């Protein structure tokens, strides 16, 4: 089911602006823009692509 990106971010306990940035970069498989509104499948997984450096 398609939901707004804001609802998706709230459901995942994330900031809506971060979700919009990820959508603009193409980090979501199912996110698409309809008019001026971003929508996404409600079951899309939030993948954290930040790199963690290994401590030596």
């Amino acid at each position: 089911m398609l939901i707004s990106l804001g609802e998706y971010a709230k459901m995942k306990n994330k900031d809506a602006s971060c979700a919009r940035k990820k959508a603009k970069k193409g980090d979501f498989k199912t996110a698409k823009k309809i008019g001026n509104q971003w929508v996404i499948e409600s079951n899309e997984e939030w993948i954290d692509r930040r790199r963690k450096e290994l401590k030596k």
Side-chain angles (χ1 to χ4, degrees), residues 6-41:
E7 290 177 60
Y8 174 80
K10 189 174 184 180
M11 188 173 75
K12 300 290 184 178
N13 294 320
K14 305 291 183 183
D15 191 57
S17 64
C18 291
R20 277 192 305 276
K21 286 178 189 176
K22 284 177 68 77
K24 286 179 184 178
K25 289 191 324 185
D27 286 347
F28 294 122
K29 293 178 184 175
T30 62
K32 55 186 160 190
K33 198 167 187 181
I34 300 174
N36 64 352
Q37 179 80 357
W38 280 99
V39 293
I40 190 168
E41 285 288 333

